[in-house]
Amino acid sequence: MKVQWQVIVGIILALLIAIFAVINVDAVQVNFLIVEAQWPLILIIIGSVLIGCLIIFCLNLGKARSLKKQIKQLNSQNDDLNRQLTAFREQNAAKPKRAPSTQTPIE
């Protein structure tokens, strides 16, 4: 359900950005430290959005890698604990079980 909401919000934001960009088609002056250029505002808006998406993608890529590493560590730890549990069960299965006491307590 969370993913569906993210998709819906993403589509709504994309539509708003597209509408905003289409409305602003005037040429504007852009300064690149040394060079100046006249570009349509729509290209600047769309370019800025794409650069922002690229930055977010790169940040999420790093987070995904760290989560995969953490999952790998936890799976390894889980395997170790399962081996210890199996050894413990085998060790206790080999021991004879004591029968419950049938004596009645003395009053």
Side-chain angles (χ1 to χ4, degrees):
M1 191 64 141
K2 181 180 178 183
V3 174
Q4 291 174 345
W5 281 109
Q6 290 175 343
V7 170
I8 291 170
V9 169
I11 290 171
I12 291 171
L13 287 174
L15 285 173
L16 289 173
I17 291 169
I19 291 169
F20 181 72
V22 170
I23 291 172
N24 294 294
V25 292
D26 299 332
V28 294
Q29 186 172 356
V30 181
N31 297 321
F32 295 105
L33 297 176
I34 301 171
V35 181
E36 292 181 3
Q38 289 278 346
W39 283 7
L41 188 56
I42 188 171
L43 291 179
I44 295 173
I45 293 171
I46 292 173
S48 298
V49 169
L50 291 177
I51 290 171
C53 290
L54 182 64
I55 291 169
I56 295 298
F57 175 76
C58 290
L59 292 174
N60 282 333
L61 189 63
K63 185 173 183 178
R65 285 184 179 177
S66 67
L67 288 175
K68 283 183 182 181
K69 182 178 178 182
Q70 184 180 10
I71 287 171
K72 190 174 180 179
Q73 286 177 331
L74 291 173
N75 281 336
S76 174
Q77 185 180 4
N78 189 23
D79 292 341
D80 291 342
L81 291 172
N82 280 331
R83 278 190 229 107
Q84 289 176 6
L85 180 62
T86 303
F88 180 75
R89 285 182 178 164
E90 289 173 357
Q91 188 179 33
N92 283 339
K95 290 182 181 178
K97 295 183 180 180
R98 290 190 290 164
S101 177
T102 56
Q103 297 177 352
T104 58
I106 302 173
E107 294 180 22

